[in-house]
Amino acid sequence: MARSPKATLCPPPHPRGRERLPGSWKMLTVAVCVTLLGYLQAQELQGHVSIILLGATGDLAKKYLWQGLFQLYLDEAGKGHSFSFHGAALTAPKQGQELMTKALESLSCPQDVTPSRCVELKGQFLRLSQYRQLKTAEDYQTLSKDIEAQVQREGLREAGRIFYFSVPPFAYADIARNINSSCRPGPGAWLRVVLEKPFGHDHLSAQQLATELGSFFQEEEMYRVDHYLGKQVVAQILPFRDQNRQVLDGLWNRHHVERVEVIMKETVDAEGRTSFYEEYGVIRDTLQNHLTEILTLVAMELPPNVSSSEAVLRHKLQAFQALRGLQKGSAVLGQYQTYSGQVRRELQKPDSFHSLTPTFAAVLVHVDNLRWEGVPFILMSGKALDERVGYVRVLFKNRAFCVQSERHWASEQSQCLPRQIVFHIGHGELGHPAILVSRNLFRPSLPTQTWREVQDRPGLRLFGRPLSDYYAYSPVGEQDAYSILLSHIFHRRKESFITTENLLASWVFWTPLLDSLAREAPRLYPAGAESGHLLDLEFSGGQLFFSQQQPEQLVPGPGSAPRPSDFQVLRATYRESPLVSAWPEELILKLAEDIEATAVQAVRRFGKFHLALSGGSSPIALFQQLATGHFGFPWAHTHLWLADERCVPLSDPESNFQGLQAHLLQHVRVPYYNIHPMPVHLHQRLCAEEDQGAQTYAREISALVTNSSFDLVLLGMGTDGHTASLFPQSPAGLDGEQLVVLTESPFRPHQRMSLSLPLINRAKKVAVLVMGRRKREIAMLVSRVGHEPKKWPISGVLPRSGQLVWYMDFEAFLG
């Protein structure tokens, strides 16, 4: 049908008259034809859009979604599309229509629309909106037929359908199945489904939900909403970086950025939402999604074209993949004091119940790439705090020293003043969204049609400085996040949403920390300003901790235990060798001190210190302590060896060397030629006998270590009595002349390389670190057995002319 008008509007000139047309007339004819054809093609691409809001009578719909849909209608209705809006829920038709009508009464128009025009527009929107009950597959079939009938009756072409899931995630599967089987639009029309968080509880549940939804919808059809990505300032982070790329290229890196803070504080508590909060807590509620998404916008590499959804999402994924794994010490937790009482009332819990759910959390994050190496990112969120505010603060290093006194410092010139960029998301003392740039940095470039400079407000101080110290810009007209996101959905701008790949990458990052904190008792704090400095933070290396000591808890939670500092280090004997026992923190401090003392003594006597380290999880806290708390350690004269290694590439997260690199080597200055990883990966093969990796390592030890006698070997003890990678019934490494052997582990990965027992026993000192309640049973057993290395390899550790010292925490030693 489109070809006929095109031919009529632009007929070819008659052959005989062609040469008689002036050149300018020909050009004009061509221009008119191109314009008209473009118009007709644009008209062909547009059509009727049906928007189905599931959960149309719920709180989210009433507060935000209907208003967002009304704004979408105002923005798009006159541009060639026609619309119909279907509010849907499980509620019966009559009651549902009444609830929906009540929700629509509160719709408002932009400030530049006159009251009479607003009444007219609301009337149009109401006539296009209807309620329907959607419970069964037949209901969805009926909806689809009604849409098709309307399109046919009005002579329209269906452009597509948007289904907005404003419902709990447990309902997703049934709704998705019904849409897929009974309510997809016909050929040539698109489908978009919009999903609200939570998207799972951990990596496994997120993976299961993603797999289920993926069986009904294609990836390009799904739009997972994080409404923070629709907030005006958050949505401006990438454009701001792009528009100021020339200036920021030299500043946006580890050489100039001191730290980045991503903060979301609330004054309200969890009253009325304790059922949700008990299941999710503050980390799952805000840090895993809102704050992590913002972090990636700050940390990601800027693509050449920030308008390319594909490029933005690809660079965000790369940022996720560069996040360093979180340890238990990366986070601190808090809980406002009245929370457990609210849970007891709302969920009918007994009077003895005390919740461990955090309502406050701060996490220290590092991005392991060249741009951000060593720069701390602090993510913090909490309820019942002293103010409601959200912001991202990029604080730059300041190496300046000014001779004149502060009263002579000019905000636009003095380099002694703090230098920072703040993306002020909203609320706080400023009271509105804004972007702030210190005047001694640069004057930022922002689009003048949508952002305007903020007038100074004498007396207002932000982040320690008066507002006049900043170039400050706010939006010309404030927009709700959901209005922005609905517009992006309509225009298929996927960069504002969370892909399956990015979602799972986020859960891979957060799940181990959540698991490790599951039984941690949070610090109790009073609500609001009464908390004082109780939640103030400090960080060092990879550790985050409260600045103030833990006060006595008014209501001790389950699992409350005396702090390590309440106990002295216990000294005793174990298997006729010295034993040091303490709580974990004290034990690690003591072991680190002893290793440093041994290192200093060895360097003083021989000029070097040879240290062999085992892998696994137990030494991680030790590595972190050595990296951050021992500045007198003679690293420049230390040779680091591995006591054992898994047969995986050294870059593999399972590699012991990779653990050593992540938690120690990247934080200290050991000459690279003093680092001796085990050669498990030779000739693109792993631990192949013919590559003679074990023999190569043995020759290296013999060449560099006098008498092949290490100054100190650090070992652990497995629950089966193994040590290093010497396992019970192991055919190799327990005796004989070999210094380094290949062994088989009962655990994956099965192939290992290990120092042999005879080599370990040549050491001047051997330290065995045993931690955790899981080790209590084997610790008791080994305390009673004799020298039986074939059954319990650890029992064969006894240096011939050196010293053996056991370091065992109270849980492993006393149970």
Side-chain angles (χ1 to χ4, degrees):
M1 289 178 66
R3 290 179 182 172
S4 177
K6 289 179 192 173
T8 305
L9 284 164
C10 298
H14 191 277
R16 290 181 182 174
R18 189 177 295 161
E19 60 275 6
R20 291 201 296 267
L21 285 171
S24 58
W25 178 253
K26 288 182 183 178
M27 292 175 63
L28 180 60
T29 305
V30 171
V32 170
C33 289
V34 168
T35 303
L36 289 171
L37 290 174
Y39 173 77
L40 290 169
Q41 287 168 349
Q43 288 295 97
E44 287 176 7
L45 293 173
Q46 297 176 345
H48 185 77
V49 178
S50 304
I51 301 178
I52 300 93
L53 175 55
L54 299 142
T57 58
D59 285 343
L60 183 64
K62 288 187 283 188
K63 286 182 180 178
Y64 302 110
L65 298 181
W66 279 117
Q67 181 63 45
L69 291 174
F70 180 49
Q71 186 62 50
L72 178 68
Y73 172 71
L74 297 181
D75 293 341
E76 303 295 338
K79 299 177 182 178
H81 284 100
S82 60
F83 290 87
S84 60
F85 300 91
H86 305 265
L90 299 176
T91 311
K94 184 179 179 183
Q95 184 185 1
Q97 183 64 56
E98 291 172 356
L99 291 170
M100 195 179 97
T101 301
K102 189 173 181 181
L104 295 177
E105 288 173 357
S106 62
L107 296 178
S108 60
C109 296
Q111 291 182 347
D112 57 351
V113 177
T114 63
S116 59
R117 178 60 177 156
C118 183
V119 170
E120 183 183 343
L121 291 169
K122 285 173 66 174
Q124 292 174 8
F125 184 77
L126 290 170
R127 286 192 292 275
L128 296 172
S129 305
Q130 57 176 302
Y131 175 84
R132 61 173 64 233
Q133 185 180 35
L134 288 181
K135 288 180 76 171
T136 66
E138 290 74 21
D139 292 335
Y140 285 85
Q141 288 172 356
T142 303
L143 171 61
S144 187
K145 289 177 182 175
D146 288 350
I147 292 172
E148 291 167 5
Q150 179 189 359
V151 169
Q152 190 173 10
R153 183 173 61 251
E154 297 180 13
L156 304 171
R157 182 188 64 81
E158 184 170 16
R161 301 177 188 179
I162 297 174
F163 285 85
Y164 199 115
F165 287 44
S166 180
V167 295
F170 66 77
Y172 282 4
D174 285 342
I175 294 172
R177 186 178 296 106
N178 285 326
I179 292 172
N180 186 54
S181 63
S182 308
C183 211
R184 275 185 171 275
W190 45 257
L191 171 68
R192 291 170 199 159
V193 294
V194 189
L195 306 164
E196 280 281 349
K197 78 176 185 76
F199 309 119
H201 186 266
D202 53 20
H203 181 251
L204 179 60
S205 59
Q207 176 73 71
Q208 290 170 341
L209 181 59
T211 301
E212 197 164 29
L213 289 170
S215 66
F216 302 118
F217 305 125
Q218 298 173 32
E219 179 65 31
E220 59 267 24
E221 293 175 331
M222 290 187 284
Y223 290 72
R224 291 183 184 85
V225 168
D226 184 327
H227 77 275
Y228 252 62
L229 293 178
K231 289 186 177 289
Q232 284 173 289
V233 167
V234 176
Q236 189 63 27
I237 292 176
L238 284 186
F240 176 87
R241 290 180 58 191
D242 183 49
Q243 289 149 13
N244 297 278
R245 190 188 290 256
Q246 190 171 357
V247 180
L248 289 176
D249 269 352
L251 292 173
W252 211 252
N253 56 60
R254 61 193 168 99
H255 301 299
H256 296 279
V257 175
E258 180 179 313
R259 69 171 182 261
V260 179
E261 302 164 2
V262 186
I263 307 299
M264 177 182 170
K265 295 168 65 178
E266 296 182 271
T267 54
V268 298
D269 60 20
E271 188 172 13
R273 295 185 70 219
T274 57
S275 176
F276 170 84
Y277 234 70
E278 276 298 280
E279 186 176 358
Y280 289 94
V282 68
I283 294 180
R284 291 181 176 91
D285 186 32
T286 59
L287 277 80
Q288 180 272 328
N289 38 71
H290 304 328
L291 303 195
T292 307
E293 287 292 322
I294 294 172
L295 181 154
T296 62
L297 295 176
V298 174
M300 65 183 270
E301 292 299 309
L302 202 59
N305 180 10
V306 296
S307 299
S308 166
S309 295
E310 183 182 349
V312 169
L313 292 170
R314 183 171 66 252
H315 283 72
K316 280 182 73 174
L317 180 61
Q318 290 169 359
F320 272 121
Q321 294 168 340
L323 297 177
R324 184 189 305 170
L326 296 171
Q327 305 297 326
K328 196 173 180 179
S330 305
V332 293
L333 306 177
Q335 182 192 98
Y336 62 84
Q337 289 174 354
T338 59
Y339 176 76
S340 284
Q342 291 173 343
V343 174
R344 289 193 291 270
R345 286 195 304 275
E346 293 181 17
L347 304 184
Q348 287 79 53
K349 298 285 186 180
D351 290 344
S352 59
F353 175 81
H354 296 286
S355 174
L356 291 178
T357 300
T359 60
F360 168 91
V363 179
L364 180 63
V365 177
H366 284 91
V367 183
D368 283 338
N369 59 26
L370 284 175
R371 181 179 294 278
W372 296 112
E373 181 184 4
V375 177
F377 286 73
I378 300 169
L379 276 58
M380 187 271 279
S381 181
K383 289 190 170 294
L385 299 178
D386 62 313
E387 65 173 337
R388 182 186 182 190
V389 69
Y391 62 84
V392 185
R393 181 184 182 216
V394 182
L395 182 64
F396 292 86
K397 295 176 181 178
N398 195 332
R399 300 183 180 91
F401 174 79
C402 295
V403 174
Q404 287 189 309
S405 62
E406 186 175 350
R407 67 177 181 272
H408 297 298
W409 297 354
S411 61
E412 294 185 26
Q413 298 170 357
S414 176
Q415 292 305 304
C416 284
L417 290 170
R419 301 188 304 159
Q420 49 198 331
I421 296 174
V422 180
F423 299 96
H424 193 275
I425 299 167
H427 305 290
E429 289 189 55
L430 186 58
H432 57 75
I435 295 176
L436 312 173
V437 179
S438 294
R439 288 182 178 269
N440 58 357
L441 266 177
F442 62 91
R443 177 183 280 276
S445 172
L446 284 102
T448 54
Q449 66 273 25
T450 51
W451 290 80
R452 64 185 171 201
E453 198 156 358
V454 175
Q455 297 299 313
D456 185 28
R457 287 161 55 184
L460 176 61
R461 296 178 68 85
L462 298 169
F463 306 99
R465 303 304 305 169
L467 182 60
S468 58
D469 273 14
Y470 301 96
Y471 295 113
Y473 296 83
S474 65
V476 171
E478 290 191 36
Q479 284 183 279
D480 172 67
Y482 281 97
S483 297
I484 292 173
L485 291 175
L486 283 164
S487 175
H488 288 187
I489 293 163
F490 183 78
H491 291 287
R492 212 177 74 175
R493 289 182 55 183
K494 292 279 286 185
E495 73 273 15
S496 301
F497 302 90
I498 302 165
T499 64
T500 300
E501 206 170 13
N502 284 355
L503 171 69
L504 296 180
S506 177
W507 277 119
V508 164
F509 175 67
W510 284 102
T511 298
L513 177 70
L514 288 163
D515 290 344
S516 71
L517 296 174
R519 298 299 301 164
E520 283 293 299
R523 170 174 288 199
L524 295 178
Y525 62 93
E530 293 180 25
S531 296
H533 297 290
L534 196 58
L535 298 178
D536 288 355
L537 309 168
E538 294 179 25
F539 56 88
S540 176
Q543 302 286 303
L544 186 69
F545 42 89
F546 288 117
S547 301
Q548 290 191 357
Q549 287 289 317
Q550 168 73 63
E552 184 175 339
Q553 292 194 353
L554 303 178
V555 186
S560 299
R563 291 179 61 77
S565 55
D566 296 336
F567 291 82
Q568 298 296 317
V569 174
L570 174 66
R571 297 180 184 277
T573 58
Y574 179 83
R575 290 183 57 81
E576 300 180 359
S577 293
L579 167 72
V580 178
S581 190
W583 289 103
E585 291 175 34
E586 288 289 309
L587 186 69
I588 291 299
L589 287 171
K590 175 60 180 167
L591 176 55
E593 288 171 3
D594 290 352
I595 293 174
E596 182 177 5
T598 304
V600 169
Q601 184 180 21
V603 170
R604 188 178 296 131
R605 292 183 62 190
F606 307 111
K608 61 188 71 172
F609 173 56
H610 288 279
L611 172 63
L613 298 168
S614 282
S617 57
S618 293
I620 288 176
L622 173 67
F623 296 163
Q624 292 171 338
Q625 177 61 34
L626 288 171
T628 59
H630 291 263
F631 301 107
F633 201 104
W635 292 114
H637 304 284
T638 297
H639 284 257
L640 290 174
W641 304 81
L642 287 180
D644 67 318
E645 181 59 280
R646 298 173 170 93
C647 292
V648 297
L650 295 184
S651 59
D652 192 295
E654 290 284 320
S655 162
N656 288 342
F657 179 77
Q658 185 58 226
L660 184 65
Q661 162 68 19
H663 301 292
L664 179 62
L665 293 180
Q666 69 174 348
H667 305 295
V668 296
R669 293 183 178 178
V670 180
Y672 74 93
Y673 42 79
N674 284 7
I675 300 169
H676 309 279
M678 281 185 159
V680 294
H681 196 188
L682 298 172
H683 307 121
Q684 298 185 338
R685 296 182 292 198
L686 293 168
C687 293
E689 289 274 5
E690 55 268 36
D691 292 333
Q692 297 193 329
Q695 293 89 326
T696 300
Y697 206 54
R699 285 194 295 270
E700 189 176 1
I701 292 169
S702 299
L704 295 176
V705 183
T706 305
N707 299 322
S708 299
S709 175
F710 291 107
D711 294 301
L712 192 149
V713 177
L714 175 69
L715 300 174
M717 179 171 68
T719 54
D720 59 352
H722 83 265
T723 191
S725 280
L726 303 172
F727 295 91
Q729 312 304 325
S730 175
L734 300 178
D735 51 29
E737 298 300 316
Q738 284 184 280
L739 301 183
V740 184
V741 294
L742 295 177
T743 66
E744 288 286 326
S745 165
F747 316 106
R748 291 180 180 273
H750 298 301
Q751 279 190 299
R752 308 287 177 96
M753 186 179 289
S754 179
L755 303 185
S756 68
L757 202 52
L759 177 59
I760 290 170
N761 285 332
R762 291 188 192 184
K764 298 181 180 73
K765 182 174 181 178
V766 177
V768 182
L769 177 62
V770 186
M771 298 179 68
R773 192 180 300 273
R774 291 191 313 115
K775 304 293 178 68
R776 171 62 183 148
E777 189 174 334
I778 188 64
M780 289 181 61
L781 178 63
V782 169
S783 71
R784 297 193 295 265
V785 304
H787 182 81
E788 299 182 64
K790 288 189 183 296
K791 287 186 178 179
W792 299 284
I794 190 67
S795 71
V797 176
L798 190 61
R800 290 183 306 191
S801 56
Q803 183 188 29
L804 170 64
V805 181
W806 296 81
Y807 294 82
M808 202 174 295
D809 72 359
F810 285 144
E811 287 195 334
F813 183 51
L814 302 174

